[in-house]
Amino acid sequence: MAAPYPDDFKCPISLEIMSDPVILSSGHTFDRSSIQRWLDAGHRTCPITQLPLPQNPNLIPNHALRSLIANFNPVSLSKPFLPHPSPQTLISILISPSSSLDSKLDCLNQLARVSKRDSAMRRRLTESGAVSAVLKCVGSDDPRLQEKGLSLLLNLSLDDDNKVGLVAEGAIGHTVAALQARSPDCRAVAATILTSLAVVEVNKATIGAYPHAVRSLVCLLRNGNYREQKEAATALYAICSFPRNRLRAVECGVVPILLKIANSGLDRAVEVLGLLAKCREGREEMQRFKGCVEILGCVLRNGAPRGVQYALLTLSSLCCHCERLCVEARREGVLGICITLIDDNNEKIRANAANLIHILRGNNI
């Protein structure tokens, strides 16, 4: 017999294992299809807390949880039980100056394994003083120790109750530093941790205000491999829902980088552009970029649904404030594309397409 999947992997609505977990502004995670049905039915409250939601709630992909679910390996109950050291014993080994590197790596492996599936264990670890020991490993010069420490820190950040406490203990500083680590895997996990911490609204402002946090994500977006770019874009999307962070990202030169990446097919870059187009500085940078409308038009033709949704939002914001871009959009055939999207199955795409049609047919400057 195999051990059942942890309850944390199940959608609170459907009670099924989540295939596409997303996070509401309330901080709770649901399977995208289930929460979308809830929202499409007209509900504007969190199904768990019953607190009100924005009129157009953002559904932030929970990549950390999705990765945990995908990599979960149910433990066979037929194997003989072997006692493991207690978490406190493992933490003591981690913080001891006399502990060898191999023993620390083994401790981190064990702690990551038990915390990956068990939210109660994650709470025990944070309450028993594990965070400072883990952060010390994250700040290590040894890439193996840093990588294992980041994996454990990511697990600890999954619980909403832990997120503010982790920030208070200095998690942001260590994570931002890890964005410049030698290992691509470390850099990608560090970006994922920032996404996880940013689920809590107050942390978005704290992350954005931290020296070099936004700039380091922008550098990762510019220079990283595909996985690093994807995780950096996701983290920027999470923190740029806080308005002040949009200006910070624009000032770090993110707009041309996002447009070039969007042109190469990463729809997540378009999601960030949709947020940046809400601020004047972001729109001005897009207006200055030659081929901006052409790139967004390509996303409308070839992108995934969320890419199309945010390309429509971005174009609406741009064309609403710039007649020149309206002319470019009409020349690129955007109006015709929008007319075909009026019959799309996605309600948000239909609504955004209708709004852009109204702008392109009228004078909304």
Side-chain angles (χ1 to χ4, degrees), residues 77-298:
L77 296 181
S78 62
K79 293 182 180 179
F81 174 76
L82 296 175
H84 295 287
S86 69
Q88 194 59 54
T89 300
L90 295 172
I91 294 168
S92 298
I93 295 173
L94 273 182
I95 63 178
S96 173
S98 61
S99 298
S100 66
L101 175 61
D102 286 342
S103 64
K104 289 183 178 181
L105 291 172
D106 182 60
C107 286
L108 288 170
N109 274 330
Q110 292 191 56
L111 290 171
R113 186 166 57 248
V114 296
S115 63
K116 184 177 182 179
R117 301 185 295 269
D118 190 340
S119 60
M121 179 59 73
R122 292 195 288 269
R123 286 193 295 272
R124 282 182 59 193
L125 290 176
T126 54
E127 291 167 0
S128 60
V131 174
S132 60
V134 174
L135 292 179
K136 189 173 182 180
C137 295
V138 170
S140 170
D141 292 331
D142 187 282
R144 293 173 297 170
L145 204 57
Q146 185 178 44
E147 184 174 350
K148 299 296 183 184
L150 284 166
S151 296
L152 179 51
L153 182 60
L154 176 58
N155 287 357
L156 297 179
S157 76
L158 294 176
D159 290 317
D160 298 339
D161 294 340
N162 285 345
K163 297 181 192 294
V164 173
L166 288 173
V167 170
E169 294 204 45
I172 291 177
H174 286 81
T175 304
V176 169
L179 289 172
Q180 302 170 40
R182 286 174 288 173
S183 163
D185 287 339
C186 285
R187 296 193 295 263
V189 174
T192 307
I193 291 170
L194 291 181
T195 301
S196 180
L197 294 175
V199 168
V200 176
E201 202 67 27
V202 67
N203 285 350
K204 296 176 183 180
T206 307
I207 293 170
Y210 196 90
H212 310 301
V214 175
R215 187 171 299 278
S216 295
L217 286 170
V218 173
C219 288
L220 193 61
L221 193 66
R222 181 179 60 240
N223 302 321
N225 60 32
Y226 180 81
R227 181 191 174 197
E228 292 172 281
Q229 289 180 330
K230 186 176 179 181
E231 297 302 340
T234 302
L236 285 168
Y237 179 82
I239 67 174
C240 283
S241 62
F242 179 69
R244 181 69 184 87
N245 289 339
R246 297 169 195 163
L247 179 57
R248 291 185 174 111
V250 171
E251 290 173 343
C252 289
V254 76
V255 169
I257 299 170
L258 287 168
L259 284 166
K260 290 174 184 176
I261 293 175
N263 196 34
S264 68
L266 183 60
D267 286 327
R268 193 146 297 142
V270 189
E271 298 176 19
V272 185
L273 287 169
L275 291 179
L276 299 184
K278 294 181 178 181
C279 72
R280 175 179 57 82
E281 295 83 1
R283 292 192 298 271
E284 289 175 350
E285 284 295 307
M286 294 179 212
Q287 290 168 20
R288 282 192 280 267
F289 189 93
K290 186 177 180 180
C292 172
V293 173
E294 181 183 357
I295 290 171
L296 293 172
C298 286

